[in-house]
Amino acid sequence: MKLEGAVFDLDGTLLDSMPAWNNAGPDYLRSLGIEPEKNLGARVRKMSLYQAACLFRDEYEVQKRVDEIMAGIDRVIEKFYFTQVQAKPGVAEFLKKLENEGVKMCVATATDMHLVKAALDRTGLYRYFGRIFTCTEIGHGKDEPDIFNTALEYLGTDKESTVIFEDALFAVETAKRAGFKVCAVYDALEEQPEKLKALADYYIQSFAGI
């Protein structure tokens, strides 16, 4: 297969940022004096910021508007994105290689736009992507294929020559159901790496050396 288009997830794929997201929701609730359930971080990791805010309002009875909850979660995590987050090993070199080969690239992420831009700017990766698509913008999480379909439409490439790069099992499952080719990327927080590896068309431990 000649690769013509690539759609990259952000957190856990391009960026070593999943630990921060795993703690953001629980830390926000604790700041309000609410003790979260033990597996809340794993639940929220599958959602857009809007979906997580609705969850906190409905299940944890946070007495705030959804936009206020979203802003509160953002404040918990934005310092990490603006000052600390790092690209995963080999990412910059791999993106440069794809650029040199004329591969069209974009980002499809559940993270809010201002955090995405800040992180990609400070890591020097922003210039490789023609567009950034967020679940908030699209109005659907990655449990639905809308963001991948929108990214493909933007790239203008055939589905057969386009690869989705993802680290999360649920997102890989969604992309595969929608008929995409998927390259699964190892991340330490994925709880079912063997299932991920079996489901994906390709699997990499790291971008380094590809």
Side-chain angles (χ1 to χ4, degrees):
M1 183 196 78
K2 177 174 172 52
L3 182 64
E4 296 181 351
V7 181
F8 288 90
D9 171 55
L10 188 75
D11 299 291
T13 299
L14 296 175
L15 302 181
D16 188 12
S17 52
M18 288 312 299
W21 274 111
N22 223 38
N23 297 327
D27 286 349
Y28 171 72
L29 289 178
R30 291 189 185 101
S31 75
L32 301 176
I34 301 171
E35 185 58 32
E37 62 188 293
K38 187 175 182 180
N39 69 334
L40 180 64
R43 288 183 68 191
V44 170
R45 198 162 68 235
K46 301 178 181 181
M47 300 177 182
S48 69
L49 188 58
Y50 176 80
Q51 290 172 319
C54 289
L55 171 72
F56 294 170
R57 179 196 61 189
D58 297 338
E59 290 194 20
Y60 286 91
E61 300 181 352
V62 174
Q63 300 300 306
K64 295 178 182 289
R65 299 191 314 269
V66 169
D67 64 309
E68 292 175 325
I69 298 173
M70 291 171 66
I73 299 170
D74 266 348
R75 284 192 295 273
V76 171
I77 203 164
E78 66 182 8
K79 181 179 179 182
F80 175 76
Y81 275 80
F82 276 77
T83 66
Q84 299 176 47
V85 69
Q86 298 293 322
K88 283 191 159 184
V91 164
E93 293 81 2
F94 182 68
L95 295 180
K96 179 63 176 176
K97 181 179 180 181
L98 295 190
E99 181 186 56
N100 290 341
E101 294 176 357
V103 177
K104 298 178 181 178
M105 294 179 278
C106 66
V107 171
T109 177
T111 301
D112 265 13
M113 187 67 77
H114 75 290
L115 298 177
V116 179
K117 287 183 175 179
L120 292 178
D121 271 337
R122 70 173 300 276
T123 55
L125 304 180
Y126 189 84
R127 70 181 190 86
Y128 293 109
F129 303 108
R131 278 288 303 273
I132 297 166
F133 297 98
T134 70
C135 290
T136 298
E137 171 196 357
I138 300 300
H140 298 273
K142 287 188 178 178
D143 53 341
E144 299 174 274
D146 301 74
I147 195 168
F148 299 129
N149 291 331
T150 301
L152 181 68
E153 183 178 358
Y154 162 74
L155 292 175
T157 52
D158 293 332
K159 188 176 283 188
E160 294 74 19
S161 61
T162 304
V163 172
I164 309 291
F165 290 81
E166 271 283 356
D167 69 297
L169 177 60
F170 82 97
V172 172
E173 289 173 335
T174 299
K176 289 298 296 177
R177 283 196 303 268
F180 285 95
K181 287 184 170 63
V182 178
C183 178
V185 181
Y186 171 78
D187 189 79
L189 285 183
E190 173 52 55
E191 296 173 349
Q192 301 183 69
E194 291 306 315
K195 187 173 181 179
L196 183 72
K197 187 174 183 178
L199 180 63
D201 299 279
Y202 315 100
Y203 181 85
I204 58 173
Q205 286 285 132
S206 169
F207 287 99
I210 294 181

